[in-house]
mmCIF file of all heavy atoms in Angstrom:
data_model
loop_
_atom_site.group_PDB
_atom_site.id
_atom_site.type_symbol
_atom_site.label_atom_id
_atom_site.label_comp_id
_atom_site.label_asym_id
_atom_site.label_seq_id
_atom_site.Cartn_x
_atom_site.Cartn_y
_atom_site.Cartn_z
ATOM 1 N N LEU A 1 123.469 81.445 103.140
ATOM 2 C CA LEU A 1 123.095 82.699 103.790
ATOM 3 C C LEU A 1 123.181 82.572 105.304
ATOM 4 O O LEU A 1 123.601 83.509 105.993
ATOM 5 C CB LEU A 1 121.680 83.107 103.371
ATOM 6 C CG LEU A 1 121.555 83.712 101.969
ATOM 7 C CD1 LEU A 1 120.096 83.736 101.523
ATOM 8 C CD2 LEU A 1 122.142 85.125 101.924
ATOM 9 N N ARG A 2 122.797 81.415 105.842
ATOM 10 C CA ARG A 2 122.910 81.209 107.287
ATOM 11 C C ARG A 2 124.376 81.289 107.722
ATOM 12 O O ARG A 2 124.690 81.850 108.770
ATOM 13 C CB ARG A 2 122.340 79.837 107.680
ATOM 14 C CG ARG A 2 120.846 79.756 107.603
ATOM 15 C CD ARG A 2 120.330 78.471 108.239
ATOM 16 N NE ARG A 2 118.883 78.375 108.044
ATOM 17 C CZ ARG A 2 118.308 77.794 107.020
ATOM 18 N NH1 ARG A 2 119.054 77.219 106.066
ATOM 19 N NH2 ARG A 2 116.997 77.765 106.905
ATOM 20 N N ARG A 3 125.252 80.732 106.915
ATOM 21 C CA ARG A 3 126.674 80.731 107.282
ATOM 22 C C ARG A 3 127.284 82.129 107.246
ATOM 23 O O ARG A 3 128.208 82.416 108.011
ATOM 24 C CB ARG A 3 127.447 79.781 106.355
ATOM 25 C CG ARG A 3 127.176 78.310 106.623
ATOM 26 C CD ARG A 3 128.152 77.413 105.883
ATOM 27 N NE ARG A 3 127.863 77.352 104.458
ATOM 28 C CZ ARG A 3 127.037 76.463 103.899
ATOM 29 N NH1 ARG A 3 126.399 75.588 104.663
ATOM 30 N NH2 ARG A 3 126.832 76.460 102.603
ATOM 31 N N VAL A 4 126.799 82.970 106.357
ATOM 32 C CA VAL A 4 127.394 84.312 106.232
ATOM 33 C C VAL A 4 126.660 85.352 107.075
ATOM 34 O O VAL A 4 127.047 86.525 107.067
ATOM 35 C CB VAL A 4 127.429 84.770 104.757
ATOM 36 C CG1 VAL A 4 128.153 83.750 103.892
ATOM 37 C CG2 VAL A 4 126.043 85.057 104.215
ATOM 38 N N MET A 5 125.627 84.950 107.813
ATOM 39 C CA MET A 5 124.861 85.915 108.611
ATOM 40 C C MET A 5 125.747 86.704 109.575
ATOM 41 O O MET A 5 125.589 87.936 109.689
ATOM 42 C CB MET A 5 123.750 85.199 109.374
ATOM 43 C CG MET A 5 122.539 86.049 109.649
ATOM 44 S SD MET A 5 121.616 86.436 108.142
ATOM 45 C CE MET A 5 120.775 84.886 107.850
ATOM 46 N N PRO A 6 126.689 86.062 110.294
ATOM 47 C CA PRO A 6 127.558 86.853 111.177
ATOM 48 C C PRO A 6 128.368 87.907 110.419
ATOM 49 O O PRO A 6 128.560 89.018 110.926
ATOM 50 C CB PRO A 6 128.478 85.788 111.810
ATOM 51 C CG PRO A 6 127.686 84.526 111.754
ATOM 52 C CD PRO A 6 126.928 84.601 110.461
ATOM 53 N N ALA A 7 128.815 87.576 109.215
ATOM 54 C CA ALA A 7 129.567 88.546 108.423
ATOM 55 C C ALA A 7 128.683 89.717 108.018
ATOM 56 O O ALA A 7 129.101 90.886 108.061
ATOM 57 C CB ALA A 7 130.169 87.878 107.185
ATOM 58 N N LEU A 8 127.443 89.432 107.619
ATOM 59 C CA LEU A 8 126.511 90.512 107.268
ATOM 60 C C LEU A 8 126.260 91.423 108.459
ATOM 61 O O LEU A 8 126.189 92.654 108.320
ATOM 62 C CB LEU A 8 125.190 89.922 106.774
ATOM 63 C CG LEU A 8 125.218 89.169 105.438
ATOM 64 C CD1 LEU A 8 123.853 88.555 105.151
ATOM 65 C CD2 LEU A 8 125.637 90.086 104.305
ATOM 66 N N MET A 9 126.150 90.823 109.654
ATOM 67 C CA MET A 9 125.899 91.628 110.844
ATOM 68 C C MET A 9 127.120 92.477 111.184
ATOM 69 O O MET A 9 126.984 93.614 111.652
ATOM 70 C CB MET A 9 125.540 90.714 112.016
ATOM 71 C CG MET A 9 124.659 91.351 113.057
ATOM 72 S SD MET A 9 123.032 91.892 112.429
ATOM 73 C CE MET A 9 122.209 90.325 112.182
ATOM 74 N N GLU A 10 128.311 91.948 110.919
ATOM 75 C CA GLU A 10 129.529 92.743 111.149
ATOM 76 C C GLU A 10 129.610 93.916 110.183
ATOM 77 O O GLU A 10 130.000 95.027 110.564
ATOM 78 C CB GLU A 10 130.775 91.857 111.008
ATOM 79 C CG GLU A 10 131.054 90.957 112.188
ATOM 80 C CD GLU A 10 131.315 91.746 113.473
ATOM 81 O OE1 GLU A 10 132.003 92.781 113.401
ATOM 82 O OE2 GLU A 10 130.808 91.327 114.522
ATOM 83 N N ILE A 11 129.250 93.674 108.930
ATOM 84 C CA ILE A 11 129.255 94.766 107.949
ATOM 85 C C ILE A 11 128.258 95.842 108.376
ATOM 86 O O ILE A 11 128.540 97.046 108.292
ATOM 87 C CB ILE A 11 128.918 94.239 106.540
ATOM 88 C CG1 ILE A 11 130.019 93.285 106.057
ATOM 89 C CG2 ILE A 11 128.753 95.388 105.549
ATOM 90 C CD1 ILE A 11 129.680 92.542 104.778
ATOM 91 N N LEU A 12 127.086 95.417 108.860
ATOM 92 C CA LEU A 12 126.085 96.367 109.321
ATOM 93 C C LEU A 12 126.616 97.230 110.454
ATOM 94 O O LEU A 12 126.272 98.414 110.557
ATOM 95 C CB LEU A 12 124.833 95.611 109.779
ATOM 96 C CG LEU A 12 123.744 96.428 110.476
ATOM 97 C CD1 LEU A 12 123.256 97.558 109.570
ATOM 98 C CD2 LEU A 12 122.586 95.539 110.887
ATOM 99 N N GLN A 13 127.463 96.663 111.301
ATOM 100 C CA GLN A 13 127.976 97.394 112.458
ATOM 101 C C GLN A 13 129.320 98.071 112.191
ATOM 102 O O GLN A 13 129.953 98.569 113.117
ATOM 103 C CB GLN A 13 128.080 96.446 113.652
ATOM 104 C CG GLN A 13 126.743 95.884 114.095
ATOM 105 C CD GLN A 13 126.867 94.764 115.104
ATOM 106 O OE1 GLN A 13 126.764 94.971 116.312
ATOM 107 N NE2 GLN A 13 127.099 93.562 114.608
ATOM 108 N N SER A 14 129.736 98.067 110.933
ATOM 109 C CA SER A 14 130.958 98.773 110.566
ATOM 110 C C SER A 14 130.665 100.269 110.498
ATOM 111 O O SER A 14 129.559 100.708 110.787
ATOM 112 C CB SER A 14 131.478 98.275 109.213
ATOM 113 O OG SER A 14 130.602 98.659 108.168
ATOM 114 N N ASN A 15 131.645 101.048 110.108
ATOM 115 C CA ASN A 15 131.454 102.495 110.042
ATOM 116 C C ASN A 15 131.452 103.011 108.611
ATOM 117 O O ASN A 15 131.733 104.190 108.380
ATOM 118 C CB ASN A 15 132.559 103.201 110.843
ATOM 119 C CG ASN A 15 132.441 102.949 112.335
ATOM 120 O OD1 ASN A 15 131.343 102.974 112.888
ATOM 121 N ND2 ASN A 15 133.563 102.679 112.981
ATOM 122 N N TYR A 16 131.124 102.141 107.653
ATOM 123 C CA TYR A 16 131.123 102.543 106.251
ATOM 124 C C TYR A 16 129.682 102.576 105.770
ATOM 125 O O TYR A 16 129.059 101.539 105.560
ATOM 126 C CB TYR A 16 131.968 101.582 105.419
ATOM 127 C CG TYR A 16 132.242 102.070 104.017
ATOM 128 C CD1 TYR A 16 132.993 103.216 103.786
ATOM 129 C CD2 TYR A 16 131.757 101.383 102.914
ATOM 130 C CE1 TYR A 16 133.250 103.671 102.505
ATOM 131 C CE2 TYR A 16 132.009 101.819 101.620
ATOM 132 C CZ TYR A 16 132.752 102.960 101.427
ATOM 133 O OH TYR A 16 133.005 103.412 100.149
ATOM 134 N N ILE A 17 129.141 103.773 105.626
ATOM 135 C CA ILE A 17 127.720 103.966 105.417
ATOM 136 C C ILE A 17 127.191 103.222 104.198
ATOM 137 O O ILE A 17 126.121 102.602 104.248
ATOM 138 C CB ILE A 17 127.380 105.476 105.331
ATOM 139 C CG1 ILE A 17 125.897 105.702 105.042
ATOM 140 C CG2 ILE A 17 128.224 106.177 104.296
ATOM 141 C CD1 ILE A 17 124.983 105.304 106.123
ATOM 142 N N LEU A 18 127.918 103.253 103.066
ATOM 143 C CA LEU A 18 127.421 102.612 101.854
ATOM 144 C C LEU A 18 127.262 101.111 102.054
ATOM 145 O O LEU A 18 126.265 100.514 101.640
ATOM 146 C CB LEU A 18 128.358 102.895 100.680
ATOM 147 C CG LEU A 18 128.465 104.366 100.250
ATOM 148 C CD1 LEU A 18 129.479 104.506 99.112
ATOM 149 C CD2 LEU A 18 127.114 104.907 99.820
ATOM 150 N N ALA A 19 128.258 100.481 102.705
ATOM 151 C CA ALA A 19 128.175 99.044 102.960
ATOM 152 C C ALA A 19 127.087 98.740 103.985
ATOM 153 O O ALA A 19 126.363 97.745 103.863
ATOM 154 C CB ALA A 19 129.526 98.517 103.443
ATOM 155 N N GLN A 20 126.943 99.586 105.001
ATOM 156 C CA GLN A 20 125.920 99.371 106.016
ATOM 157 C C GLN A 20 124.519 99.392 105.405
ATOM 158 O O GLN A 20 123.678 98.544 105.716
ATOM 159 C CB GLN A 20 126.024 100.448 107.106
ATOM 160 C CG GLN A 20 127.219 100.294 108.024
ATOM 161 C CD GLN A 20 127.306 101.457 109.000
ATOM 162 O OE1 GLN A 20 127.647 102.573 108.633
ATOM 163 N NE2 GLN A 20 126.966 101.196 110.258
ATOM 164 N N VAL A 21 124.268 100.365 104.540
ATOM 165 C CA VAL A 21 122.947 100.473 103.929
ATOM 166 C C VAL A 21 122.644 99.251 103.067
ATOM 167 O O VAL A 21 121.544 98.692 103.114
ATOM 168 C CB VAL A 21 122.846 101.769 103.092
ATOM 169 C CG1 VAL A 21 121.603 101.754 102.214
ATOM 170 C CG2 VAL A 21 122.823 102.990 104.009
ATOM 171 N N GLN A 22 123.623 98.801 102.283
ATOM 172 C CA GLN A 22 123.393 97.623 101.450
ATOM 173 C C GLN A 22 123.201 96.367 102.293
ATOM 174 O O GLN A 22 122.363 95.511 101.971
ATOM 175 C CB GLN A 22 124.562 97.440 100.474
ATOM 176 C CG GLN A 22 124.707 98.540 99.437
ATOM 177 C CD GLN A 22 123.488 98.674 98.554
ATOM 178 O OE1 GLN A 22 122.816 97.694 98.249
ATOM 179 N NE2 GLN A 22 123.189 99.900 98.129
ATOM 180 N N ALA A 23 123.957 96.245 103.387
ATOM 181 C CA ALA A 23 123.821 95.074 104.263
ATOM 182 C C ALA A 23 122.444 95.049 104.916
ATOM 183 O O ALA A 23 121.799 93.986 104.993
ATOM 184 C CB ALA A 23 124.919 95.074 105.322
ATOM 185 N N ILE A 24 121.964 96.199 105.392
ATOM 186 C CA ILE A 24 120.670 96.228 106.084
ATOM 187 C C ILE A 24 119.531 95.970 105.107
ATOM 188 O O ILE A 24 118.519 95.361 105.465
ATOM 189 C CB ILE A 24 120.497 97.568 106.822
ATOM 190 C CG1 ILE A 24 119.401 97.465 107.888
ATOM 191 C CG2 ILE A 24 120.173 98.701 105.862
ATOM 192 C CD1 ILE A 24 119.781 96.657 109.077
ATOM 193 N N ARG A 25 119.687 96.394 103.860
ATOM 194 C CA ARG A 25 118.653 96.094 102.866
ATOM 195 C C ARG A 25 118.553 94.592 102.625
ATOM 196 O O ARG A 25 117.454 94.031 102.526
ATOM 197 C CB ARG A 25 118.958 96.807 101.553
ATOM 198 C CG ARG A 25 118.655 98.292 101.584
ATOM 199 C CD ARG A 25 119.023 98.953 100.282
ATOM 200 N NE ARG A 25 118.772 100.382 100.324
ATOM 201 C CZ ARG A 25 119.179 101.243 99.414
ATOM 202 N NH1 ARG A 25 119.876 100.820 98.367
ATOM 203 N NH2 ARG A 25 118.912 102.534 99.522
ATOM 204 N N LEU A 26 119.706 93.933 102.534
ATOM 205 C CA LEU A 26 119.689 92.485 102.335
ATOM 206 C C LEU A 26 119.095 91.790 103.555
ATOM 207 O O LEU A 26 118.257 90.885 103.431
ATOM 208 C CB LEU A 26 121.104 91.980 102.055
ATOM 209 C CG LEU A 26 121.233 90.469 101.840
ATOM 210 C CD1 LEU A 26 120.362 90.010 100.667
ATOM 211 C CD2 LEU A 26 122.688 90.078 101.597
ATOM 212 N N LEU A 27 119.496 92.210 104.753
ATOM 213 C CA LEU A 27 118.973 91.595 105.971
ATOM 214 C C LEU A 27 117.459 91.820 106.102
ATOM 215 O O LEU A 27 116.732 90.937 106.558
ATOM 216 C CB LEU A 27 119.704 92.151 107.189
ATOM 217 C CG LEU A 27 121.140 91.644 107.382
ATOM 218 C CD1 LEU A 27 121.890 92.496 108.403
ATOM 219 C CD2 LEU A 27 121.151 90.177 107.801
ATOM 220 N N SER A 28 116.986 92.990 105.705
ATOM 221 C CA SER A 28 115.541 93.261 105.755
ATOM 222 C C SER A 28 114.787 92.320 104.826
ATOM 223 O O SER A 28 113.692 91.848 105.152
ATOM 224 C CB SER A 28 115.263 94.715 105.364
ATOM 225 O OG SER A 28 115.731 95.609 106.344
ATOM 226 N N TYR A 29 115.363 92.061 103.671
ATOM 227 C CA TYR A 29 114.753 91.126 102.715
ATOM 228 C C TYR A 29 114.747 89.710 103.301
ATOM 229 O O TYR A 29 113.726 89.012 103.260
ATOM 230 C CB TYR A 29 115.536 91.175 101.410
ATOM 231 C CG TYR A 29 115.217 90.065 100.437
ATOM 232 C CD1 TYR A 29 114.022 90.047 99.734
ATOM 233 C CD2 TYR A 29 116.131 89.036 100.203
ATOM 234 C CE1 TYR A 29 113.734 89.023 98.829
ATOM 235 C CE2 TYR A 29 115.857 88.025 99.309
ATOM 236 C CZ TYR A 29 114.659 88.022 98.618
ATOM 237 O OH TYR A 29 114.386 87.015 97.738
ATOM 238 N N LEU A 30 115.862 89.300 103.887
ATOM 239 C CA LEU A 30 115.959 87.948 104.434
ATOM 240 C C LEU A 30 115.071 87.774 105.663
ATOM 241 O O LEU A 30 114.616 86.659 105.941
ATOM 242 C CB LEU A 30 117.415 87.642 104.796
ATOM 243 C CG LEU A 30 118.417 87.682 103.638
ATOM 244 C CD1 LEU A 30 119.821 87.401 104.134
ATOM 245 C CD2 LEU A 30 118.022 86.696 102.535
ATOM 246 N N ALA A 31 114.805 88.860 106.389
ATOM 247 C CA ALA A 31 113.956 88.775 107.580
ATOM 248 C C ALA A 31 112.533 88.377 107.234
ATOM 249 O O ALA A 31 111.761 87.974 108.113
ATOM 250 C CB ALA A 31 113.964 90.115 108.319
ATOM 251 N N GLN A 32 112.159 88.485 105.974
ATOM 252 C CA GLN A 32 110.823 88.095 105.540
ATOM 253 C C GLN A 32 110.748 86.621 105.168
ATOM 254 O O GLN A 32 109.679 86.138 104.777
ATOM 255 C CB GLN A 32 110.403 88.956 104.345
ATOM 256 C CG GLN A 32 110.346 90.447 104.689
ATOM 257 C CD GLN A 32 110.115 91.310 103.466
ATOM 258 O OE1 GLN A 32 108.980 91.617 103.109
ATOM 259 N NE2 GLN A 32 111.191 91.704 102.819
ATOM 260 N N LYS A 33 111.865 85.905 105.267
ATOM 261 C CA LYS A 33 111.902 84.477 104.980
ATOM 262 C C LYS A 33 111.728 83.701 106.286
ATOM 263 O O LYS A 33 112.546 83.829 107.205
ATOM 264 C CB LYS A 33 113.235 84.094 104.315
ATOM 265 C CG LYS A 33 113.565 84.900 103.056
ATOM 266 C CD LYS A 33 112.613 84.574 101.928
ATOM 267 C CE LYS A 33 112.996 85.293 100.653
ATOM 268 N NZ LYS A 33 112.074 85.004 99.546
ATOM 269 N N ASN A 34 110.687 82.902 106.370
ATOM 270 C CA ASN A 34 110.389 82.195 107.617
ATOM 271 C C ASN A 34 111.544 81.336 108.105
ATOM 272 O O ASN A 34 111.797 81.253 109.315
ATOM 273 C CB ASN A 34 109.144 81.323 107.438
ATOM 274 C CG ASN A 34 107.871 82.138 107.375
ATOM 275 O OD1 ASN A 34 107.801 83.232 107.923
ATOM 276 N ND2 ASN A 34 106.858 81.610 106.691
ATOM 277 N N ASP A 35 112.259 80.706 107.173
ATOM 278 C CA ASP A 35 113.314 79.785 107.591
ATOM 279 C C ASP A 35 114.619 80.494 107.946
ATOM 280 O O ASP A 35 115.571 79.854 108.387
ATOM 281 C CB ASP A 35 113.570 78.727 106.516
ATOM 282 C CG ASP A 35 114.002 79.329 105.192
ATOM 283 O OD1 ASP A 35 113.538 80.445 104.873
ATOM 284 O OD2 ASP A 35 114.792 78.698 104.464
ATOM 285 N N LEU A 36 114.681 81.808 107.768
ATOM 286 C CA LEU A 36 115.902 82.555 108.098
ATOM 287 C C LEU A 36 115.701 83.520 109.258
ATOM 288 O O LEU A 36 116.685 84.051 109.791
ATOM 289 C CB LEU A 36 116.390 83.341 106.868
ATOM 290 C CG LEU A 36 116.861 82.514 105.673
ATOM 291 C CD1 LEU A 36 117.220 83.432 104.504
ATOM 292 C CD2 LEU A 36 118.061 81.644 106.045
ATOM 293 N N LEU A 37 114.455 83.751 109.666
ATOM 294 C CA LEU A 37 114.182 84.763 110.681
ATOM 295 C C LEU A 37 114.889 84.459 111.994
ATOM 296 O O LEU A 37 115.504 85.347 112.604
ATOM 297 C CB LEU A 37 112.672 84.877 110.889
ATOM 298 C CG LEU A 37 112.210 85.900 111.936
ATOM 299 C CD1 LEU A 37 112.716 87.294 111.592
ATOM 300 C CD2 LEU A 37 110.689 85.884 112.056
ATOM 301 N N TYR A 38 114.813 83.213 112.447
ATOM 302 C CA TYR A 38 115.465 82.882 113.720
ATOM 303 C C TYR A 38 116.977 83.063 113.633
ATOM 304 O O TYR A 38 117.609 83.552 114.584
ATOM 305 C CB TYR A 38 115.137 81.450 114.133
ATOM 306 C CG TYR A 38 115.925 81.000 115.349
ATOM 307 C CD1 TYR A 38 115.621 81.498 116.615
ATOM 308 C CD2 TYR A 38 116.985 80.111 115.215
ATOM 309 C CE1 TYR A 38 116.350 81.103 117.729
ATOM 310 C CE2 TYR A 38 117.722 79.714 116.317
ATOM 311 C CZ TYR A 38 117.404 80.214 117.568
ATOM 312 O OH TYR A 38 118.142 79.835 118.660
ATOM 313 N N ASP A 39 117.570 82.679 112.505
ATOM 314 C CA ASP A 39 119.018 82.829 112.350
ATOM 315 C C ASP A 39 119.431 84.291 112.464
ATOM 316 O O ASP A 39 120.499 84.599 113.001
ATOM 317 C CB ASP A 39 119.460 82.264 111.001
ATOM 318 C CG ASP A 39 119.178 80.780 110.877
ATOM 319 O OD1 ASP A 39 119.985 79.982 111.373
ATOM 320 O OD2 ASP A 39 118.133 80.426 110.309
ATOM 321 N N ILE A 40 118.591 85.180 111.947
ATOM 322 C CA ILE A 40 118.895 86.610 112.053
ATOM 323 C C ILE A 40 118.734 87.075 113.498
ATOM 324 O O ILE A 40 119.616 87.740 114.056
ATOM 325 C CB ILE A 40 117.974 87.419 111.122
ATOM 326 C CG1 ILE A 40 118.245 87.057 109.661
ATOM 327 C CG2 ILE A 40 118.172 88.914 111.337
ATOM 328 C CD1 ILE A 40 117.286 87.693 108.670
ATOM 329 N N LEU A 41 117.617 86.721 114.118
ATOM 330 C CA LEU A 41 117.353 87.179 115.480
ATOM 331 C C LEU A 41 118.351 86.628 116.488
ATOM 332 O O LEU A 41 118.645 87.280 117.503
ATOM 333 C CB LEU A 41 115.928 86.792 115.890
ATOM 334 C CG LEU A 41 114.807 87.624 115.274
ATOM 335 C CD1 LEU A 41 113.456 86.978 115.544
ATOM 336 C CD2 LEU A 41 114.838 89.046 115.812
#
């Protein structure tokens, strides 16, 4: 997940609403993991 974080952030910043919503839901879930929060931020 740490390795694919940049790809998830790129999908979030794309212009395809369905993919953006799914990407942000996954990132919101991962943001609750202590060991992944810094990687996201």
Side-chain angles (χ1 to χ4, degrees):
L1 283 165
R2 288 190 185 91
R3 288 191 286 271
V4 305
M5 209 69 76
L8 293 175
M9 208 61 72
E10 283 298 320
I11 295 171
L12 172 58
Q13 297 170 97
S14 68
N15 292 318
Y16 191 64
I17 177 67
L18 295 178
Q20 288 176 288
V21 168
Q22 294 300 327
I24 198 72
R25 284 178 182 169
L26 179 59
L27 286 166
S28 291
Y29 168 73
L30 299 178
Q32 299 172 91
K33 305 292 184 181
N34 287 333
D35 60 327
L36 294 176
L37 180 58
Y38 173 73
D39 298 278
I40 296 174
L41 285 169

